[in-house]
Amino acid sequence: MARQTLPVRRTSAQHHAVTGEQAELLRVGTDTLQRADPELAALLDAEVSQQNSTLAMIASASVADPSVLAVGGAALSNVTAEGYPGARYHPGAQQFDAVENLAVERAKSLFGARYANVQPHSCSSANLAVLSALMRPGDTLLGLDLDAGGHLTHGSRASVSGRHYNAVAYGLDEHGYIDFAQVEALAEEHRPQVIIAGASAYPRTVDFARFRAIADGVGAYLLADISHIAGLVAAGLHPSPVDVAHLTTTSTYKQLGGPRGGLILSGRDFEAPGPNGRTPLHKLMQRAVFPQSQGTPSPASIAAKARAFAVAARPAFRETAELIVRDAQALAHELSSLGYRILTGGTDNHMVLIDVSDVGLTGVTAERALERCGILANRNRIPGDTKPPLVTSGLRLGTNILAQRGMRPEQMRECAQLMHTVLAGTRLDSDTEYLIDPALVATVREEVRWLCSRHPLPIDTTASVPVSLIGVGS
Ligand SMILES: *Cc1c(COP(=O)(O)O)cnc(C)c1O
């Protein structure tokens, strides 16, 4: 087999100027892909075009800075090293150790945390690691019901969290807000070992302090899952649970704009004892991730997390986060004016939940009709939903990407109008089949393209590391 010389091998004459080796490797990789695998390269290019020309309102999504994507493809990925910095089970991890330390320090700095574990491959893994460290099989877990906006890993029967543990679920009150009276009553009745505060579909501020008071009342640990709102928390636009909950988990690819992955944080209580009354939480968490629930970490993803935390610490990130909330509020207002029922009547975060059964549609038909027109929003079960999970009666919208594209409240009127044109032009044929005029699809698709072309996806080439983070971790 012909062996290509890696670009890192240079002649001695070039050696004095060796920089940018990683960039060269990425360039060679990209060139090779285009030449040697045009089929795959074309799919990836089509994806970029699609992201450029569609109105993505997927509440869990955001756009990663190109530098974050580049770091995710780093040669660091070739390093296999179980364990933690300074205590690896393999040699050759000097750079990786430094990178992981940097990611940990940047995570702590960004969230004001005392402890961070950057190794979880996802927030689901992070949640399962936390639960397995704090609970024995059969112990009781209290989390938000899946149908009320909770996550699978908060005790759903479809997840091991609902099978290995005795999962009890709280829900929402008649206004769509978390029913704290019920949380308290269930906590007192079932005496859970862990209470989870956090949601995948909840448009309002989560009162972590109130959860903590309930947890303290029954001797439970409080886990805050900020997967969806981590960007707002980092920007100071949602109360932070880091010093309120015992442990906080998040995904890094949602509002944080990082790579696929998860993160565990702890603040004030990082040294609080675990269930055995001795081992501090931070030590428990280190073991809970490795070796208890994961093997080798993903070094390039950890590097990309480090990069994303630096991007999220910049003032520009906060400005975008402010716009995300203002846009969501404007979008809720516009849709409400057009006659849609907005769950809870509005939003405090990036998310807008609407009931499409009122306009004679199901969640899945609304999702599909919108997708045909270049508008991406996903179906969602709503409280009291009579439709199955693949059909649903609701639609979940998010403004992360709209705001990242620089769209402002003025443009939310346009977005709401476009959605309304599609939904008002869609007729239900069955729960999952719909009819729509192809001419209407073509018109809206064109308007979506035009709107997107006026608000291109951000490429910020000035995103240097904030002064506050320089030297952190070294
Ligand atoms: C998305 C989500 C998760 C799971 O995150 P992954 O990183 O995709 O595993 C966990 N909790 C909540 C609240 C979420 O919304």
Side-chain angles (χ1 to χ4, degrees), residues 75-141:
L76 190 65
S77 194
N78 297 335
V79 175
T80 293
E82 282 175 323
Y84 290 100
R88 304 282 187 196
Y89 291 81
H90 303 81
Q94 296 89 324
Q95 276 73 240
F96 179 32
D97 279 6
V99 164
E100 184 167 346
N101 284 332
L102 193 61
V104 166
E105 291 308 318
R106 285 180 179 179
K108 282 158 63 178
S109 165
L110 181 65
F111 287 99
R114 308 281 295 277
Y115 165 79
N117 189 315
V118 296
Q119 290 199 3
H121 297 316
S122 69
C123 186
S124 298
S125 300
N127 285 347
L128 297 175
V130 171
L131 296 180
S132 66
L134 298 180
M135 302 170 75
R136 285 165 310 186
D139 277 355
T140 299
L141 169 68

Side-chain angles (χ1 to χ4, degrees), residues 60 121-125 127 149-151 153-154 198-201 225-228 249-254 260-262 396:
S60 46
H121 297 316
S122 69
C123 186
S124 298
S125 300
N127 285 347
H151 188 259
T153 54
H154 298 188
S200 297
D225 177 348
I226 58 168
S227 190
H228 256 271
T249 53
T250 182
S251 305
T252 49
Y253 68 92
K254 292 184 183 173
R260 300 274 127 190
R396 186 182 69 165

Side-chain angles (χ1 to χ4, degrees), residues 44-45 104 114 119 145 171 174 222 231 244 266 300 324 331 371 383:
L44 300 182
D45 282 338
V104 166
R114 308 281 295 277
Q119 290 199 3
D145 194 51
E174 71 272 27
L222 178 63
V244 178
S266 187
I324 286 171
L331 187 64
E371 184 182 16

Side-chain angles (χ1 to χ4, degrees), residues 333-356:
H333 176 77
E334 297 295 342
L335 287 167
S336 171
S337 314
L338 291 166
Y340 293 87
R341 186 168 83 82
I342 312 294
L343 272 63
T344 77
T347 179
D348 299 327
N349 56 29
H350 62 300
M351 209 185 280
V352 179
L353 299 174
I354 66 176
D355 177 357
V356 291

